[in-house]
Amino acid sequence: EVFLGYEKYLAARRHAGRAAAFQRLVPRRLRAAVVAGARRSLGPERRLLDRLTMSPGEVAASFYHQVAPQFLSSMFAPDGPIRREPDSIDGAVRAFDAAPPHRDFLGRMSYMDLKTFLVTLLMKQDKMTMAAGVEARVPFLDHELVEYGYRVPTGLKIDGTTQKKILKDIGMQYFSREHLHRPKLGFPVPVETWFQVPATQQRLSDVLLDPSTLRRGLFQRDSVESQLRASAASGGRESSANYFIWNLINFELWLRQFVDGAGRAPSRARPAIVRRV
């Protein structure tokens, strides 16, 4: 986040630029109609269409969403105990707008990440990685390094499509080019690979459409079914649907163990997913 090392920064800058161009060319009173027409032609899931009428801060904050906002608004059961705040990204937008003056778009987005997303991520990631003796982000968290890194101009962090450029330039003194420019290997859960297994898709459906799950009244059945269909139709490659389902099934299994079971380990443990061998 300090050195702009994620693809989302390139995508966010690109989308923010297109949104600004759209807003310059299309009068405010016509924007909603133009976007609606584009949805009819291109399909409702095009995320760029969501962003064409957004402010720069809203574009940056929208990259937190793994599921389209228009879907989230219909996800929760209307009479259930869960409510989605309509202004849930306002805190991120305020952080973006509060960035130090004269920062460009990516400088503001980096500041927003430092003030919002990283606050909870570092707490969780640091505990999990250190429990396994892994130094994840900790070497880069010295406050003087973070403060200096934030002041480095964006042009020294991203050059074209080369990200973390200043780190790579320093690293060239110590490592080979092949080592520094190899594909990034992160630590994501391989949800897409798991979801390509038909038995996994069946297991997901069994859990999320189980009568005991539906009786909770937390989510709209139609919304859950639509995401299950989207994931299955894509062969497990629809990332937006996959991550929504992944979060939902983990939440349901957590409820079963720690609410229904009052914290006791389940007597008949069954895997939530089936791994491809």
Side-chain angles (χ1 to χ4, degrees):
E1 286 80 9
V2 173
F3 294 98
L4 306 177
Y6 288 104
E7 290 297 323
K8 73 173 184 178
Y9 292 111
L10 293 174
R13 183 170 64 177
R14 186 168 61 250
H15 282 199
R18 291 174 180 173
F22 175 81
Q23 292 170 32
R24 285 195 301 270
L25 294 171
V26 180
R28 184 185 298 273
R29 66 182 182 279
L30 299 178
R31 292 172 190 169
V34 172
V35 170
R39 286 194 194 287
R40 289 192 292 272
S41 301
L42 302 175
E45 297 302 323
R46 302 293 181 109
R47 295 302 300 276
L48 175 58
L49 296 179
D50 296 332
R51 297 174 175 132
L52 288 178
T53 58
M54 292 181 178
S55 68
E58 290 170 335
V59 172
S62 73
F63 276 79
Y64 287 129
H65 290 298
Q66 293 174 328
V67 181
Q70 63 265 29
F71 171 77
L72 286 176
S73 64
S74 64
M75 181 177 71
F76 300 114
D79 300 324
I82 297 179
R83 295 286 186 272
R84 176 178 182 261
E85 294 296 331
D87 58 352
S88 60
I89 67 171
D90 278 5
V93 175
R94 285 195 296 271
F96 181 95
D97 292 339
H102 311 304
R103 298 290 175 175
D104 62 7
F105 175 82
L106 289 183
R108 291 179 174 273
M109 188 171 178
S110 175
Y111 183 86
M112 178 189 74
D113 282 342
L114 290 172
K115 292 294 185 180
T116 56
F117 173 64
L118 281 179
V119 174
T120 54
L121 175 69
L122 290 174
M123 178 185 70
K124 294 182 290 185
Q125 186 181 57
D126 186 49
K127 290 177 189 243
M128 290 188 291
T129 55
M130 293 302 286
V134 175
E135 296 274 3
R137 296 169 183 247
V138 176
F140 285 92
L141 290 179
D142 177 88
H143 74 92
E144 292 182 345
L145 177 60
V146 171
E147 291 163 5
Y148 172 78
Y150 183 73
R151 292 195 299 269
V152 171
T154 296
L156 295 179
K157 299 176 183 179
I158 292 182
D159 182 13
T161 59
T162 299
Q163 295 172 275
K164 297 184 288 189
K165 183 178 184 299
I166 189 170
L167 292 181
K168 291 175 180 176
D169 289 345
I170 294 170
M172 286 295 289
Q173 303 174 50
Y174 307 99
F175 305 104
S176 68
R177 181 176 179 83
E178 291 73 21
H179 178 86
L180 289 172
H181 291 273
R182 66 181 180 176
K184 181 172 181 175
L185 298 175
F187 297 98
V189 177
V191 170
E192 183 176 302
T193 300
W194 292 344
F195 278 33
Q196 291 174 29
V197 181
T200 299
Q201 292 284 343
Q202 184 60 52
R203 172 64 173 151
L204 296 170
S205 182
D206 289 345
V207 172
L208 296 179
L209 299 180
D210 184 88
S212 64
T213 303
L214 298 175
R215 275 196 298 271
R216 297 187 195 281
L218 301 178
F219 301 97
Q220 299 271 42
R221 176 174 183 150
D222 290 348
S223 297
V224 175
E225 288 180 328
S226 72
Q227 295 299 287
L228 288 169
R229 285 195 300 270
S231 178
S234 69
R237 293 178 173 82
E238 175 49 61
S239 60
S240 178
N242 289 348
Y243 278 97
F244 167 72
I245 294 168
W246 177 247
N247 289 328
L248 190 56
I249 197 166
N250 276 281
F251 182 45
E252 171 59 25
L253 294 176
W254 178 86
L255 287 171
R256 293 184 182 188
Q257 180 168 345
F258 293 101
V259 177
D260 301 344
R264 296 189 300 273
S267 56
R268 294 180 59 195
R270 291 181 62 189
I273 50 85
V274 179
R275 292 171 175 80
R276 172 175 289 167
V277 179

